[in-house]
mmCIF file of all heavy atoms in Angstrom:
data_model
loop_
_atom_site.group_PDB
_atom_site.id
_atom_site.type_symbol
_atom_site.label_atom_id
_atom_site.label_comp_id
_atom_site.label_asym_id
_atom_site.label_seq_id
_atom_site.Cartn_x
_atom_site.Cartn_y
_atom_site.Cartn_z
ATOM 1 N N ALA A 75 100.299 113.688 149.736
ATOM 2 C CA ALA A 75 99.592 114.852 150.414
ATOM 3 C C ALA A 75 98.188 114.462 150.690
ATOM 4 O O ALA A 75 97.722 114.741 151.843
ATOM 5 C CB ALA A 75 99.597 116.033 149.476
ATOM 6 N N ALA A 76 97.488 113.764 149.821
ATOM 7 C CA ALA A 76 96.118 113.285 150.093
ATOM 8 C C ALA A 76 96.069 112.293 151.320
ATOM 9 O O ALA A 76 95.141 112.286 152.105
ATOM 10 C CB ALA A 76 95.550 112.754 148.857
ATOM 11 N N ALA A 77 97.026 111.434 151.369
ATOM 12 C CA ALA A 77 97.041 110.396 152.313
ATOM 13 C C ALA A 77 97.123 110.981 153.716
ATOM 14 O O ALA A 77 96.654 110.423 154.685
ATOM 15 C CB ALA A 77 98.247 109.377 152.016
ATOM 16 N N GLU A 78 97.919 112.134 153.797
ATOM 17 C CA GLU A 78 98.019 112.771 155.156
ATOM 18 C C GLU A 78 96.757 113.208 155.677
ATOM 19 O O GLU A 78 96.568 113.418 156.877
ATOM 20 C CB GLU A 78 99.072 113.931 155.011
ATOM 21 C CG GLU A 78 100.500 113.536 154.667
ATOM 22 C CD GLU A 78 101.373 114.685 154.481
ATOM 23 O OE1 GLU A 78 100.845 115.755 154.489
ATOM 24 O OE2 GLU A 78 102.628 114.370 154.208
ATOM 25 N N GLU A 79 95.745 113.463 154.790
ATOM 26 C CA GLU A 79 94.429 113.821 155.149
ATOM 27 C C GLU A 79 93.344 112.682 155.119
ATOM 28 O O GLU A 79 92.292 112.867 155.140
ATOM 29 C CB GLU A 79 93.963 114.954 154.364
ATOM 30 C CG GLU A 79 94.844 116.209 154.453
ATOM 31 C CD GLU A 79 94.307 117.407 153.678
ATOM 32 O OE1 GLU A 79 93.266 117.279 153.102
ATOM 33 O OE2 GLU A 79 94.949 118.447 153.595
ATOM 34 N N GLY A 80 93.919 111.508 154.879
ATOM 35 C CA GLY A 80 93.123 110.346 154.887
ATOM 36 C C GLY A 80 92.134 110.159 153.621
ATOM 37 O O GLY A 80 91.096 109.570 153.559
ATOM 38 N N ARG A 81 92.637 110.782 152.469
ATOM 39 C CA ARG A 81 91.930 110.696 151.265
ATOM 40 C C ARG A 81 92.690 109.811 150.199
ATOM 41 O O ARG A 81 93.980 109.826 150.159
ATOM 42 C CB ARG A 81 91.692 112.045 150.615
ATOM 43 C CG ARG A 81 90.703 112.897 151.450
ATOM 44 C CD ARG A 81 90.465 114.233 150.683
ATOM 45 N NE ARG A 81 91.651 115.176 150.843
ATOM 46 C CZ ARG A 81 92.520 115.306 149.995
ATOM 47 N NH1 ARG A 81 92.505 114.660 148.808
ATOM 48 N NH2 ARG A 81 93.541 116.177 150.200
ATOM 49 N N ARG A 82 91.950 109.237 149.292
ATOM 50 C CA ARG A 82 92.537 108.571 148.098
ATOM 51 C C ARG A 82 92.131 109.220 146.825
ATOM 52 O O ARG A 82 92.671 108.911 145.764
ATOM 53 C CB ARG A 82 92.191 107.091 148.080
ATOM 54 C CG ARG A 82 92.717 106.290 149.165
ATOM 55 C CD ARG A 82 92.265 104.759 149.062
ATOM 56 N NE ARG A 82 92.564 104.171 147.843
ATOM 57 C CZ ARG A 82 92.293 102.936 147.413
ATOM 58 N NH1 ARG A 82 91.573 102.196 148.275
ATOM 59 N NH2 ARG A 82 92.544 102.537 146.315
ATOM 60 N N LYS A 83 91.260 110.183 146.879
ATOM 61 C CA LYS A 83 90.871 110.934 145.727
ATOM 62 C C LYS A 83 91.587 112.192 145.723
ATOM 63 O O LYS A 83 91.546 112.962 146.718
ATOM 64 C CB LYS A 83 89.352 111.165 145.681
ATOM 65 C CG LYS A 83 88.898 112.058 144.440
ATOM 66 C CD LYS A 83 87.382 112.035 144.273
ATOM 67 C CE LYS A 83 86.970 110.795 143.589
ATOM 68 N NZ LYS A 83 85.530 110.777 143.114
ATOM 69 N N LEU A 84 92.390 112.493 144.675
ATOM 70 C CA LEU A 84 93.172 113.713 144.641
ATOM 71 C C LEU A 84 92.438 114.976 144.228
ATOM 72 O O LEU A 84 91.508 114.836 143.370
ATOM 73 C CB LEU A 84 94.307 113.510 143.618
ATOM 74 C CG LEU A 84 95.147 112.234 143.683
ATOM 75 C CD1 LEU A 84 96.298 112.251 142.737
ATOM 76 C CD2 LEU A 84 95.739 112.048 145.143
ATOM 77 N N ILE A 85 92.727 116.031 144.811
ATOM 78 C CA ILE A 85 92.128 117.359 144.563
ATOM 79 C C ILE A 85 93.234 118.324 144.237
ATOM 80 O O ILE A 85 94.449 118.023 144.414
ATOM 81 C CB ILE A 85 91.291 117.831 145.826
ATOM 82 C CG1 ILE A 85 92.288 118.098 146.977
ATOM 83 C CG2 ILE A 85 90.249 116.935 146.125
ATOM 84 C CD1 ILE A 85 91.575 118.631 148.195
ATOM 85 N N PRO A 86 92.863 119.491 143.596
ATOM 86 C CA PRO A 86 93.866 120.351 143.239
ATOM 87 C C PRO A 86 94.833 120.810 144.287
ATOM 88 O O PRO A 86 96.035 121.051 144.033
ATOM 89 C CB PRO A 86 93.054 121.601 142.674
ATOM 90 C CG PRO A 86 91.747 120.985 142.195
ATOM 91 C CD PRO A 86 91.521 119.862 143.188
ATOM 92 N N ALA A 87 94.434 120.930 145.502
ATOM 93 C CA ALA A 87 95.347 121.311 146.631
ATOM 94 C C ALA A 87 96.521 120.292 146.691
ATOM 95 O O ALA A 87 97.573 120.637 147.057
ATOM 96 C CB ALA A 87 94.627 121.427 147.959
ATOM 97 N N ASP A 88 96.254 119.049 146.351
ATOM 98 C CA ASP A 88 97.216 118.013 146.462
ATOM 99 C C ASP A 88 98.363 118.246 145.401
ATOM 100 O O ASP A 88 99.561 118.006 145.604
ATOM 101 C CB ASP A 88 96.667 116.651 146.307
ATOM 102 C CG ASP A 88 95.673 116.347 147.375
ATOM 103 O OD1 ASP A 88 95.936 116.685 148.513
ATOM 104 O OD2 ASP A 88 94.683 115.620 147.091
ATOM 105 N N LEU A 89 97.887 118.720 144.172
ATOM 106 C CA LEU A 89 98.808 119.066 143.167
ATOM 107 C C LEU A 89 99.767 120.218 143.574
ATOM 108 O O LEU A 89 100.982 120.135 143.391
ATOM 109 C CB LEU A 89 98.082 119.420 141.892
ATOM 110 C CG LEU A 89 98.905 119.907 140.671
ATOM 111 C CD1 LEU A 89 99.983 118.902 140.355
ATOM 112 C CD2 LEU A 89 97.952 120.272 139.548
ATOM 113 N N LEU A 90 99.121 121.264 144.233
ATOM 114 C CA LEU A 90 99.962 122.335 144.757
ATOM 115 C C LEU A 90 100.926 121.899 145.770
ATOM 116 O O LEU A 90 102.133 122.356 145.855
ATOM 117 C CB LEU A 90 99.025 123.449 145.232
ATOM 118 C CG LEU A 90 98.134 124.102 144.226
ATOM 119 C CD1 LEU A 90 97.218 125.165 144.900
ATOM 120 C CD2 LEU A 90 98.882 124.724 143.089
ATOM 121 N N SER A 91 100.479 120.993 146.549
ATOM 122 C CA SER A 91 101.383 120.422 147.699
ATOM 123 C C SER A 91 102.516 119.708 147.174
ATOM 124 O O SER A 91 103.652 119.848 147.564
ATOM 125 C CB SER A 91 100.582 119.630 148.632
ATOM 126 O OG SER A 91 101.325 119.114 149.644
ATOM 127 N N ALA A 92 102.250 118.789 146.107
ATOM 128 C CA ALA A 92 103.277 118.132 145.512
ATOM 129 C C ALA A 92 104.353 118.950 144.889
ATOM 130 O O ALA A 92 105.603 118.664 145.038
ATOM 131 C CB ALA A 92 102.629 117.131 144.463
#
Side-chain angles (χ1 to χ4, degrees):
E78 291 174 2
E79 298 184 7
R81 288 182 288 100
R82 287 180 58 184
K83 178 167 281 191
L84 307 185
I85 62 175
D88 300 324
L89 174 57
L90 296 178
S91 178

